[in-house]
Amino acid sequence: MKRYFQHIILIICLLFAIQNFAQKKDVKGYRIDGDEIVFTFDKEDYKNATHDEYGVLKDFEDLDIENVVVSGNFNNWSRRSWKMKKIDECHYELRKNIEDFTDDFMWEFKFLINHTYWAEPNENIANTTPATNEFGGYYNSSNLKFYTAVPKENGNTKFHLKGFQNAKEVVLSGSFTRWDEEYLQMKPTEDGWEISLDLQPGAYQYKFIVDGNWMEDPDNKKKTLNEFGGYNSVVEVKKWVTFKLEGYPNAEEVILTGSFNNWNENSYQMQKSENGWKIQLYLAGGKHHYKYIIDGDWTIDPENPVLEYDGRGNINCVKMVK
């Protein structure tokens, strides 16, 4: 009977530990929905709030919420411009297109209540980071941070590590999680460990952490030197992008050329369509310069107002892939 109760107590402790572990892995404050960043505020995720001017802590339960604003380094910590929509008494939401952001998820943000109180994240939120001033000094406060990576069963990027079946824990860490050492727990498989993520197009660095030991991906030859004199593995996520040129029904040949094919004048021949010409390319994330060659004449895209000089006096069109 004594041994029976010992087993029961052990099981309860394990369940509590697992539940506590899972809570600490929760990412709060946002989700990625297709091409949108959806900011999500839940009153129950916060215990305290800091007064904007006086720095005084206030119990969150004592706040009568009239409005909630998203404020971060992506909008110069604006206190009013990104106002959220009220869903119910505890939940607020704000949707923003990814195109509204300039950097690749290297952002920090917070929720501002009634334009006065900063919501302080609880300790069980995984994506917290110490708040700092412009000189690198620490505030007695925390911000929320973005992870580019979103775990998803059928995500567009799968990471697989063969072997190590006896390992207790394997974590995927990389630039997409700002090298977080806990967030992306990999799942054991018959021949190793794996995890699938939804990643926006771009080039990312990563490593595996096997029972606390960092290692490169042995099956990925793409690597880059890191600051510690070792190497990080590199994965490049691409996306189908359609280029359309309206008009020019009498043209005999239209070529797409750009930085993505080293300005080759022959490789990407566009197909004639009902309203003009089009072609679809599988491109990596980031900024691409391009132009059209219409029957031998180079021209910019008349429908694209985003132009840049290339440093040699040429003006090119810009296509951002996110």
Side-chain angles (χ1 to χ4, degrees):
M1 183 64 73
K2 182 179 179 180
R3 179 173 295 180
Y4 172 79
F5 280 114
Q6 287 177 336
H7 282 300
I8 294 296
I9 292 171
L10 178 60
I11 291 171
I12 291 173
C13 290
L14 285 173
L15 288 173
F16 178 80
I18 291 171
Q19 183 181 17
N20 189 48
F21 178 80
Q23 287 177 343
K24 288 186 177 179
K25 298 301 174 186
D26 286 344
V27 174
K28 301 287 187 178
Y30 75 98
R31 70 179 188 273
I32 300 174
D33 185 6
D35 291 332
E36 291 185 317
I37 305 294
V38 185
F39 292 95
T40 55
F41 173 79
D42 183 348
K43 182 178 178 179
E44 296 181 356
D45 291 332
Y46 305 90
K47 293 180 181 178
N48 300 303
T50 302
H51 195 283
D52 187 32
E53 294 183 6
Y54 306 111
V56 178
L57 277 178
K58 187 179 181 70
D59 193 313
F60 218 85
E61 291 297 326
D62 296 334
L63 281 178
D64 186 12
I65 300 178
E66 297 177 4
N67 57 70
V68 182
V69 170
V70 179
S71 181
N73 53 7
F74 41 74
N75 64 2
N76 294 319
W77 296 97
S78 172
R79 290 166 167 79
R80 295 183 177 272
S81 60
W82 287 27
K83 188 175 180 180
M84 304 184 77
K85 179 181 178 181
K86 186 175 182 178
I87 306 300
D88 55 42
E89 289 303 313
C90 292
H91 300 88
Y92 289 73
E93 187 174 283
L94 176 67
R95 290 179 173 267
K96 287 287 184 179
N97 195 287
I98 290 177
E99 297 292 336
D100 294 336
F101 301 86
T102 55
D103 298 320
D104 295 331
F105 291 78
M106 301 303 288
W107 312 315
E108 295 181 14
F109 68 100
K110 233 171 180 174
F111 296 111
L112 186 62
I113 314 300
N114 302 342
H115 305 299
T116 304
Y117 292 95
W118 297 98
E120 296 296 341
N122 291 345
E123 65 277 0
N124 61 357
I125 297 178
N127 55 318
T128 58
T129 187
T132 59
N133 60 29
E134 57 184 315
F135 306 107
Y138 289 98
Y139 293 115
N140 186 24
S141 179
S142 296
N143 294 332
L144 295 173
K145 60 183 175 181
F146 273 91
Y147 293 134
T148 307
V150 179
K152 195 173 183 180
E153 186 175 349
N154 297 313
N156 62 6
T157 309
K158 180 177 287 186
F159 295 84
H160 187 82
L161 175 64
K162 292 182 180 178
F164 301 94
Q165 282 91 341
N166 295 325
K168 295 179 180 178
E169 179 185 74
V170 177
V171 176
L172 172 66
S173 183
S175 55
F176 36 72
T177 60
R178 302 171 81 172
W179 300 98
D180 189 287
E181 300 180 28
E182 297 181 339
Y183 173 45
L184 296 178
Q185 302 277 334
M186 300 182 72
K187 296 181 179 179
T189 64
E190 291 183 0
D191 65 342
W193 300 77
E194 71 177 23
I195 189 172
S196 290
L197 308 178
D198 254 355
L199 289 173
Q200 296 298 316
Y204 304 94
Q205 299 179 33
Y206 70 97
K207 273 190 170 182
F208 300 121
I209 309 175
V210 182
D211 289 339
N213 299 311
W214 293 71
M215 63 174 291
E216 304 159 26
D217 185 343
D219 294 321
N220 185 358
K221 294 181 180 180
K222 292 183 179 180
K223 304 179 188 298
T224 186
L225 188 66
N226 62 32
E227 59 195 285
F228 304 107
Y231 288 89
N232 297 333
S233 299
V234 176
V235 61
E236 194 172 71
V237 181
K238 296 184 178 182
K239 176 181 180 180
W240 284 108
V241 178
T242 301
F243 290 82
K244 294 181 179 179
L245 175 64
E246 301 292 335
Y248 300 95
N250 298 322
E252 294 184 5
E253 181 184 65
V254 179
I255 302 291
L256 171 66
T257 185
S259 55
F260 38 75
N261 68 346
N262 201 28
W263 298 99
N264 188 294
E265 299 180 28
N266 301 297
S267 60
Y268 292 142
Q269 204 165 41
M270 300 183 72
Q271 300 298 314
K272 204 164 190 177
S273 66
E274 183 178 347
N275 299 316
W277 301 77
K278 68 178 182 180
I279 190 173
Q280 202 173 42
L281 301 183
Y282 200 45
L283 294 181
K287 181 192 293 184
H288 302 277
H289 283 187
Y290 72 97
K291 273 185 175 178
Y292 298 120
I293 306 176
I294 305 171
D295 290 338
D297 295 326
W298 292 61
T299 183
I300 60 173
D301 185 345
E303 301 297 322
N304 186 355
V306 184
L307 306 172
E308 282 187 357
Y309 284 99
D310 62 3
R312 296 187 296 273
N314 301 310
I315 298 177
N316 300 319
C317 304
V318 175
K319 174 75 78 174
M320 292 296 299
V321 178
K322 294 186 177 182

